Amino acid sequence: MKIKRILSFFMCIAIILTALPLSVFAENEEPYAKIRFRNPEKYNVAFGETEEIYLDYNTGGIEIHKIEWEVSKKLLCKIEYVTDESTGLVTGAKLTGKNFGSLTLTARLLDENGNEIISDKRSLYVVESENKNSEEKFKIFLRDSYLVSAMGTMYIVIPFVGAVIFSPVLVPYYAYLTVKAIILGV
């Protein structure tokens, strides 16, 4: 009878321990930071469209003072930062694709001394939108293909540079030919 009571006491303790969440016994979780899209099917920013991203993070019990965002190429996207009303921290951004290409977005969590707690980097691409028809895509191609720059270089810059470089040699040569033709009467 005594063994049954001792065994039932240990069984009760085991049942009570399994009912408690394990996080009660954990000291601190590891800090993490992850930049995610609001729409989980999105991986890139479409040209001319706006995508929302947010920072999913845990500081592991360290009080954060600031979240800094950094963008490697600011010309590719227009960025509007989103502040969390409850914490006052910038926890998200709205990215609108302006130019095609790749960029790196970095979010850093800083403590009150300015030391980095954790950070995350995400490579993004500004890609062609799937919702545009062929006429809109052609207009974008003409606008962003630098076709005008290529034509200007080919028909204006190269002849001008050629004239500047070769005129010290060609002007005297053609002057010589003109004088020779006048003297000889040819």
Side-chain angles (χ1 to χ4, degrees):
M1 191 69 139
K2 202 172 192 180
I3 293 177
K4 286 183 181 180
R5 285 186 182 176
I6 293 172
L7 186 60
S8 64
F9 174 75
F10 282 120
M11 294 294 277
C12 287
I13 296 293
I15 289 173
I16 290 172
L17 289 177
T18 58
L20 292 176
L22 292 178
S23 62
V24 171
F25 300 106
E27 289 182 19
N28 281 332
E29 291 183 39
E30 289 291 319
Y32 72 88
K34 187 73 179 161
I35 298 171
R36 302 176 193 266
F37 280 91
R38 288 268 183 225
N39 183 354
E41 291 103 34
K42 294 288 183 174
Y43 300 102
N44 296 313
V45 179
F47 180 84
E49 296 180 12
T50 301
E51 297 295 337
E52 289 187 47
I53 58 166
Y54 68 98
L55 183 64
D56 183 18
Y57 65 93
N58 181 0
T59 61
I62 301 170
E63 189 171 321
I64 58 173
H65 183 68
K66 188 177 182 182
I67 298 177
E68 284 185 351
W69 291 81
E70 180 183 332
V71 181
S72 63
K73 297 178 184 172
K74 294 183 180 176
L75 296 175
L76 298 180
C77 282
K78 175 186 172 198
I79 300 173
E80 180 184 333
Y81 293 106
V82 179
T83 304
D84 184 8
E85 293 177 7
S86 62
T87 63
L89 299 171
V90 179
T91 57
K94 294 179 183 178
L95 304 172
T96 304
K98 291 182 3 183
N99 293 308
F100 296 112
S102 66
L103 63 117
T104 303
L105 187 62
T106 306
R108 291 184 183 85
L109 279 69
L110 306 174
D111 64 9
E112 57 270 351
N113 298 326
N115 299 323
E116 183 178 304
I117 300 169
I118 193 84
S119 66
D120 185 35
K121 287 184 180 183
R122 176 142 189 164
S123 294
L124 303 171
Y125 298 92
V126 178
V127 297
E128 181 62 54
S129 173
E130 297 172 2
N131 301 330
K132 296 197 182 326
N133 61 28
S134 59
E135 182 180 336
E136 291 172 328
K137 288 180 182 180
F138 184 69
K139 286 179 182 177
I140 291 170
F141 168 76
L142 288 178
R143 186 185 69 210
D144 294 336
S145 69
Y146 303 107
L147 187 62
V148 174
S149 297
M151 296 298 233
T153 301
M154 191 166 42
Y155 292 112
I156 297 170
V157 174
I158 292 175
F160 178 74
V161 170
V164 169
I165 292 173
F166 295 113
S167 64
V169 174
L170 293 177
V171 169
Y173 175 70
Y174 285 118
Y176 164 75
L177 290 176
T178 304
V179 171
K180 182 179 169 184
I182 292 172
I183 292 174
L184 294 175
V186 178

